[in-house]
Amino acid sequence: MTLTGTKQPDMTRILGGLFVLAGVLALGTAWFAEHRLLLAPCELCLWERRPWRVLIGIGALTLLLPRRYARYPVFAGLLCLAVSIGLAVLHAGVEHKFWPSPAPECRAPVFHGGSFKDWMAAMPSRPNKPCDSPDYLFGLPISMTETGGLYAVVVFVVASLGSVRMLRSRG
């Protein structure tokens, strides 16, 4: 309760809702880009979706747990967002050719000698898009990867500020 008698909102619940909403928005945007804009995802694009799926689960867990335990998943959510930022930096570096992709699916197989059958066996099981070929958002000079990374940074900063507020209100 504050001096005015109104109850403060439970920051853990707000952060849990933020995690669910942010994850659904990120995955919904990826779905829209893939299925409506017909942009083919590369292997690193698919890697970048995983933290958002985990974040939705963490957000749901935060909403379901009793209040005194709900703050622990909040910190796991911050870690999940940090992983998302790291993957975006990794992918942006590959797009800008600062370093090679760690995903073997992002590179054409190198094959020396042997039969046609051996060559075919060395091919990837499914066609893929090169990870160093960025898709630009509406022709702007910022790739979808960079946009997703900036989104993850914004969500991380908002959640971090909410976490500090959550800790102060319990202190």
Side-chain angles (χ1 to χ4, degrees), residues 55-129:
L55 190 67
I56 291 170
I58 289 171
L61 184 64
T62 302
L63 292 170
L64 294 173
L65 282 175
R67 185 176 179 186
R68 66 180 178 174
Y69 299 117
R71 69 178 172 170
Y72 300 112
V74 167
F75 297 114
L78 290 172
L79 179 63
C80 192
L81 286 166
V83 168
S84 181
I85 293 166
L87 286 171
V89 168
L90 170 73
H91 194 175
V94 170
E95 286 181 349
H96 290 285
K97 297 174 181 42
F98 293 149
W99 47 73
S101 173
E105 296 87 356
C106 292
R107 295 184 294 278
V110 177
F111 186 76
H112 302 286
S115 69
F116 181 74
K117 182 179 175 184
D118 294 336
W119 180 71
M120 290 303 291
M123 297 296 285
S125 60
R126 61 182 170 84
N128 55 19
K129 176 184 175 279

Side-chain angles (χ1 to χ4, degrees), residues 6 14 20 40 60 67 80 104 107 115 125 133 136 144 148 150 156 165 167 169:
T6 59
I14 292 171
V20 170
R67 185 176 179 186
C80 192
R107 295 184 294 278
S115 69
S125 60
S133 177
Y136 293 103
M144 292 286 291
L150 291 173
F156 181 84
R165 186 171 173 193
L167 289 174
S169 70

